[in-house]
């Protein structure tokens, strides 16, 4: 799978731009603030309907415009598919597939991406929400139906939290609490939450060997990286991951086997739903008293360890970079190896490296370049071309003041807009018609 043409209208800094792409490595070079990251951000948005830079879609719409359009021609083998998403500030997005109207959810899975950016250091150093989002982005690309389950779960938790606050006020006034309604919400939370936990646990199982492999390759063999899924339901029912002391002094092999066995149990949707129902019953009084949802996958985390110590707080800056890269490369490999879905035979994700090489030392740059050269399509952004290893050969574009030009056509600081090809001209016409 690869993108052959990308067209943007009123997306971020771009009023209108069209770029023709090829398989292999494509590099966008330009100073900060010129728009190079906006291009790869748009590609990533087609895969997950989210940005790696901001949480609100309204930020993606060019100032003064009512909507932004991202359109791409995606090649699976010899078969082209044209996808389009119209981002409407404050309203539901609209989508088209091959010029026909579609539900936005129908686009999920057609484009797959893995994005690595400087913000990914938060995977190691940041809050659990960052790591949950990492797992969920992989989950939605592997199982597009999970996008709706996740949205439904978010709605249930919001409504349930409001109900808990109402119950607390009623209880405080000495009124009688009706538990029938909260029972209904408990059932919905347990049913939807069990699917999310099961899918996340399965993804962690698939990611684990690749995280270890890629950390070893990127870091040069310094330390053993391991990830484990921490389910909030375990905390609420008394099951805990072994501590660093246990891993140093006890039978490590048996402890790791127990972790893996427990992770397998979490993948049993029926069993996990039952455990969630029980935990919700046990913690109901505390939830009413605090007015918040204390049980469920919205409080889960991904344990990231280096040797027997947690990476957060113990890993050096270079080790943290290597670990964040290993997580993204592992997700790329899991998506690449996936044998399910409509595009299983040609579903290798597009790899996006946004301003990454400038942050790495020479050895890590070289090791990363050797790995990503294996990708079918890789997009790289850089402020300075000299930051990139010479092995990253392929298409190169200069990005300057919103103009994207093949690098061999750029002259000094003057960037002339290239003449569109018949294909890209057609894309311009279609976008104008769509607006």
């Amino acid at each position: 799978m690869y993108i052959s043409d990308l067209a943007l209208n009123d997306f971020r800094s771009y009023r209108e731009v069209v770029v023709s792409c090829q398989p292999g490595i494509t590099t966008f070079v330009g100073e900060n603030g010129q728009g190079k990251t906006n291009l790869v951000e748009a590609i990533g948005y087609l895969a997950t309907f989210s940005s790696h830079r901001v949480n609100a879609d309204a930020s993606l719409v060019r100032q003064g415009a009512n909507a932004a359009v991202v359109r791409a021609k995606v090649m699976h083998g010899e078969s082209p598919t044209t996808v389009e998403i119209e981002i409407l500030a404050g309203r539901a997005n609209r989508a088209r597939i091959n010029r026909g109207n579609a539900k936005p959810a129908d686009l999920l899975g057609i484009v797959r991406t893995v994005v690595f950016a400087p913000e990914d250091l938060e995977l190691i150093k940041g809050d659990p929400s960052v790591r949950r989002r990492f797992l969920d982005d992989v989950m939605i690309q592997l199982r597009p139906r999970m996008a709706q389950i996740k949205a439904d779960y978010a709605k249930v938790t919001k409504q349930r939290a409001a109900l808990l606050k109402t119950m607390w006020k009623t209880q405080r006034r000495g009124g009688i609490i009706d538990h029938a309604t909260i029972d209904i919400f408990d059932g919905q939370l347990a049913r939807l939450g069990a699917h999310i936990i099961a899918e996340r646990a399965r993804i962690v199982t698939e990611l684990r060997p690749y995280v270890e492999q890629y950390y070893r390759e990127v870091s040069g063999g310094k330390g053993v990286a391991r990830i484990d899924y921490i389910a909030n339901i375990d905390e609420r029912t008394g099951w805990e991951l072994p501590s660093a002391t246990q891993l140093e002094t006890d039978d490590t092999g048996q402890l790791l086997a127990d972790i893996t066995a427990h992770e397998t149990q979490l993948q049993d949707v029926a069993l996990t739903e039952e455990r969630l129902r029980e935990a919700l019953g046990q913690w109901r009084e505390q939830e009413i008293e605090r007015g918040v949802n204390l049980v469920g996958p919205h409080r889960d985390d991904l344990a990231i360890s280096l040797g027997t110590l947690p990476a957060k707080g113990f890993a050096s800056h270079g080790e943290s970079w290597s670990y964040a890269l290993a997580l993204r490369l592992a997700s790329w490999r899991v998506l690449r190896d996936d044998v399910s879905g409509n595009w299983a035979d040609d579903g290798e994700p597009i790899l996006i490296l946004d301003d990454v090489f400038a942050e790495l030392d020479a050895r890590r740059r070289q090791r990363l370049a050797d790995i990503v050269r294996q990708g079918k399509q890789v997009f790289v952004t850089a402020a300075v071309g000299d930051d990139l290893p010479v092995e990253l050969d392929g298409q190169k574009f200069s990005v300057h003041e919103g103009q994207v030009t093949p690098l061999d056509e750029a002259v000094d600081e003057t960037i002339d807009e290239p003449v569109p090809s018949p294909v890209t001209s057609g894309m311009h016409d279609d976008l104008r018609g769509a607006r």
Side-chain angles (χ1 to χ4, degrees), residues 123-148:
L123 288 170
I124 313 303
K125 301 181 178 182
D127 295 331
S129 61
V130 180
R131 292 180 285 277
R132 287 195 297 268
R133 179 176 176 179
F134 163 72
L135 291 177
D136 290 347
D137 283 348
V138 179
M139 176 180 74
I140 289 170
Q141 293 197 73
L142 281 172
R143 306 284 184 269
R145 66 180 179 83
M146 292 301 299
Q148 188 59 55

Side-chain angles (χ1 to χ4, degrees), residues 92 134 191 206 212 227 291 309 353 360 370 376 384 396 431:
F134 163 72
R191 176 177 57 82
E206 294 183 14
E212 181 179 348
I227 59 171
L309 295 174
L353 303 175
L360 303 177
D370 291 340
K376 184 167 185 178
V384 180
K396 288 184 171 62
L431 281 173

Side-chain angles (χ1 to χ4, degrees), residues 29 42-43 46-47 74 85 164 193 227 236 252 353 364 378 380 411:
V29 179
I43 296 170
L46 287 173
V74 188
I85 189 77
L164 289 169
I227 59 171
R236 297 307 181 198
T252 302
L353 303 175
R364 286 185 173 88
V378 182
V380 180
V411 179

Side-chain angles (χ1 to χ4, degrees), residues 52-220:
H52 68 282
R53 302 162 71 194
V54 295
N55 292 323
D57 281 0
S59 302
L60 306 178
V61 180
R62 188 176 62 83
Q63 189 173 4
N66 296 320
V69 174
V70 180
R71 191 165 187 260
K73 180 176 286 187
V74 188
M75 301 298 297
H76 291 92
E78 299 299 321
S79 175
T81 302
T82 301
V83 296
E84 178 184 305
I85 189 77
E86 186 176 8
I87 305 166
L88 300 159
R91 291 181 289 161
N93 293 345
R94 292 199 289 249
R96 302 175 82 194
I97 299 176
N98 292 330
R99 302 184 184 180
N101 293 332
K103 298 177 181 178
D106 294 339
L107 267 65
L108 291 173
I110 296 177
V111 178
R112 289 177 167 185
T113 65
V114 171
V115 181
F116 184 76
E119 293 87 350
D120 282 333
L121 272 183
E122 289 298 299
L123 288 170
I124 313 303
K125 301 181 178 182
D127 295 331
S129 61
V130 180
R131 292 180 285 277
R132 287 195 297 268
R133 179 176 176 179
F134 163 72
L135 291 177
D136 290 347
D137 283 348
V138 179
M139 176 180 74
I140 289 170
Q141 293 197 73
L142 281 172
R143 306 284 184 269
R145 66 180 179 83
M146 292 301 299
Q148 188 59 55
I149 290 176
K150 189 167 177 286
D152 291 344
Y153 179 82
K155 186 183 299 182
V156 167
T157 54
K158 182 178 180 180
Q159 294 171 338
R160 188 175 183 274
L163 179 60
L164 289 169
K165 289 182 174 67
T166 300
M167 295 174 72
W168 177 78
K169 291 177 181 178
T170 301
Q171 183 173 270
R172 189 179 181 185
R173 293 194 301 265
I176 298 175
I177 295 177
D178 179 8
H179 287 271
T181 304
I182 197 71
D183 285 340
I184 294 173
F185 278 105
D186 283 3
Q188 294 175 338
L189 187 151
R191 176 177 57 82
L192 296 167
H195 284 282
I196 295 171
I197 292 171
E199 286 297 324
R200 286 179 180 170
R202 183 183 62 79
I203 289 168
V204 169
T205 299
E206 294 183 14
L207 287 171
R208 183 178 292 119
Y210 295 128
V211 170
E212 181 179 348
Q213 172 192 334
Y214 284 123
Y215 182 82
R216 185 172 60 250
E217 291 183 17
V218 173
S219 69

